[in-house]
């Protein structure tokens, strides 16, 4: 038997508190799907499947960790100590920063994969914003139905005629929401692997400081990391 990969509740079971199991399992599946496709089609670079474990194991471990805390706090018959802890926790949740922190943990939106690059969006899940393309309005999430990566040009800075590798779709659009970048390269599972605030210089040219050939080729091959 070859390698066995687990996703969803087969990989991690935790108390249902907070309703996070489905979200966690779906994200496992999306993370794994495009990588498995690359392997099956013999275009995956070495280490691609290892990145599934590297990215998803910490995400699951974190959910197990904080649902353990929730199980204690939600005890219907709490001891005096747990009741005191719950009161303090309730007060803390009234603080916007603390509330945001816990909401980020429970929704999974605080998750950031360790991808190369220092743009604040790199490694983060792209929000499902409303876009307007030449073909009309579309949700950002609808761009991933093909299982391709998406190079999203929000400021018209991606050069015309850019030779994109297979399985990378260039989408030029405007967005009423502030997405935090002028152009983004988004993996098939909806995570940003490259972004820029300014002109998308160096695209496909191999120049440093832009989206070079290495990153484009890596995404085309299904790799999560450049180099
Ligand atoms: C009470 C409760 C409340 C919950 N509430 C929420 C919530 O509000 N929000 C949320 O996100 N999550 C919630 N969850 C968690 C969520 O239901 C699970 O995380 C999610 O269903 C896991 O999906 P899965 O596909 O990984 O596993 P499953 O849904 O368990 O699917 C596995 C499937 O494999 C089948 N199977 C097993 N063995 C075999 C076999 N040998 N051969 C063939 N088929 C097999 C099973 O029959 C099953 O259909 C809750 C869970 C519980 C128990």
């Amino acid at each position: 038997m070859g390698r066995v990969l687990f996703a969803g509740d087969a990989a991690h079971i935790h108390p249902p508190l907070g309703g996070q199991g489905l979200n966690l399992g779906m994200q496992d599946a999306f993370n794994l799907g495009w990588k498995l496709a690359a392997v099956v089609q013999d275009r995956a670079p070495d280490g691609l499947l290892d990145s599934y474990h590297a990215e998803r194991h910490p995400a699951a471990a974190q959910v197990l960790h904080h649902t353990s805390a929730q199980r204690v706090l939600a005890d219907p018959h709490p001891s005096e100590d747990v009741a005191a802890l719950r009161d303090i926790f309730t007060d803390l949740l009234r603080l916007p920063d603390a509330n945001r922190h816990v909401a980020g943990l429970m929704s999974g939106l605080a998750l950031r994969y360790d991808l190369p690059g220092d743009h604040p969006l790199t490694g983060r899940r792209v929000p499902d914003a409303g876009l307007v393309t030449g073909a009309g309005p579309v949700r950002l999430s609808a761009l991933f139905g093909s299982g391709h990566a998406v190079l999203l040009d929000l400021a018209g800075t991606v050069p015309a005629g850019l030779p994109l590798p297979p399985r990378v779709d260039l989408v030029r659009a405007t967005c009423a929401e502030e997405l935090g970048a002028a152009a983004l390269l988004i993996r098939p599972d909806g995570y940003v692997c490259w972004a820029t605030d300014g002109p998308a210089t160096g695209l496909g040219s191999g120049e440093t400081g832009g989206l070079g050939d290495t990153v484009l080729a890596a995404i085309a091959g299904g790799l999560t990391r450049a180099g």
Side-chain angles (χ1 to χ4, degrees):
M1 187 187 294
R3 196 195 305 226
V4 177
L5 297 150
F6 293 98
D9 277 10
H12 35 69
I13 296 196
H14 54 82
L17 288 161
Q20 293 160 91
L22 201 55
N23 182 21
L24 190 59
M26 290 285 277
Q27 294 227 32
D28 287 350
F30 273 87
N31 189 292
L32 185 56
W34 63 286
K35 295 174 182 175
L36 271 180
V39 172
V40 168
Q41 293 170 5
D42 203 22
R43 55 183 167 81
D46 287 348
L48 182 63
L49 278 183
D50 293 334
S51 74
Y52 169 65
H53 180 83
E55 291 183 346
R56 295 306 300 161
H57 189 275
Q62 190 176 58
V63 170
L64 262 61
H65 188 64
H66 65 81
T67 50
S68 296
Q70 285 179 54
R71 185 177 50 197
V72 172
L73 290 170
D75 186 339
H77 308 291
S79 68
E80 206 174 311
D81 288 352
V82 169
L85 191 61
R86 191 152 71 188
D87 286 346
I88 289 171
F89 203 82
T90 304
D91 282 346
L92 285 175
L93 284 181
R94 293 196 177 100
L95 303 175
D97 280 351
N99 194 293
R100 257 192 300 276
H101 177 75
V102 173
L105 284 178
M106 290 181 63
S107 64
L109 294 176
L111 182 64
R112 183 174 192 181
Y113 294 142
D114 182 21
L115 301 181
D118 44 22
H119 192 280
L121 293 182
T122 303
R124 294 207 176 275
R125 185 175 171 278
V126 72
D128 185 20
L131 305 176
V132 179
T133 70
V138 64
R139 301 299 308 177
L140 206 158
S141 58
L143 301 178
F144 297 97
S146 62
H148 292 183
V150 171
L151 177 56
L152 181 60
D153 181 3
L154 294 170
T157 56
V158 173
L162 178 73
L164 286 175
R167 292 175 292 277
V168 178
D169 298 338
L170 172 60
V171 178
R172 297 186 195 275
T174 56
C175 180
E177 293 171 45
E178 178 48 67
L179 277 188
L184 310 95
L185 182 63
I186 310 161
R187 303 191 323 191
D189 60 352
Y191 281 79
V192 177
C193 54
W194 174 88
T196 183
D197 295 332
T201 51
L203 264 178
S205 68
E207 293 171 19
T208 54
L211 180 64
D213 291 333
T214 313
V215 176
L216 280 174
I219 285 298
L223 183 60
T224 56
R225 295 172 168 279

